């Protein structure tokens, strides 16, 4: 039987993918006391890497929001791999969103809303709201448009 968070994901039409293996010498997640730190996730979809490019130069805010949402889905996949049960999440503490963008692009917060809005919908009003940063970057790994990392409080 699935828990409350997985039931919300099903209502949203989201099936979590298999958690991706790290692409270099790092851990996909690490636990410290009651916190789960998840390494930055990129927009890997069912057909491979998606959203490769720059915001403000080929991609608009809505594209970036979809990329950030996909990153958030992958973060939950990592959380499930780490915890076995997403209902062990007490709350999302913080996310950091990196946006690959043109020098004059200033809508990083709007882009990262794609992840923030998804987390609130998936985790609910008590567990989903979080602190965050939205940072512009000159480039990101594999040329992706967005990368997001997360810190969860866990039981």
């Amino acid at each position: 039987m699935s828990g409350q968070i997985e039931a919300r994901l099903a209502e949203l039409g989201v099936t979590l993918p298999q958690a991706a293996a790290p692409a270099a010498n790092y851990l996909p997640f690490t636990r410290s006391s009651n916190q789960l730190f998840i390494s930055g996730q990129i927009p890997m979809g069912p057909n491979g890497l998606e959203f490769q490019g720059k915001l403000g130069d080929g991609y608009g805010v809505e594209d970036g929001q979809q990329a950030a949402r996909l990153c958030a889905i992958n973060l939950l996949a990592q959380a499930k791999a780490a915890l076995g049960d997403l209902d062990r999440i007490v709350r999302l503490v913080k996310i950091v969103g990196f946006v690959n963008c043109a020098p004059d692009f200033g809508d990083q917060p709007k882009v990262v809303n794609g992840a923030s809005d998804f987390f609130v919908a998936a985790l609910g009003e008590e567990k989903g709201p979080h602190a965050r940063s939205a940072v512009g970057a000159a480039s990101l790994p594999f040329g992706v448009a967005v990368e997001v990392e997360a810190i969860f409080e866990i039981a």
Side-chain angles (χ1 to χ4, degrees), residues 43 50-51 60-73 111 114-115 146:
E50 299 182 24
F51 300 102
V61 170
E62 289 180 6
D63 298 312
Q65 289 171 337
Q66 289 301 312
R69 181 181 189 274
L70 189 50
C71 293
I73 290 168
V111 169
V146 180

Side-chain angles (χ1 to χ4, degrees), residues 19-30 37-42 44 75 78 141-142 147-149:
N25 187 18
Y26 65 90
L27 297 172
F29 55 82
T30 187
F37 296 80
I38 301 180
S39 295
Q41 298 296 299
I42 58 177
M44 184 68 72
L75 284 161
Q78 291 291 349
F142 310 110
E147 179 176 354
V148 183
E149 64 180 46

Side-chain angles (χ1 to χ4, degrees), residues 21 40 43 65 79 81 92 96 100 103 106 121 124 139:
Q65 289 171 337
L92 176 57
V96 179
N100 183 0
S139 66

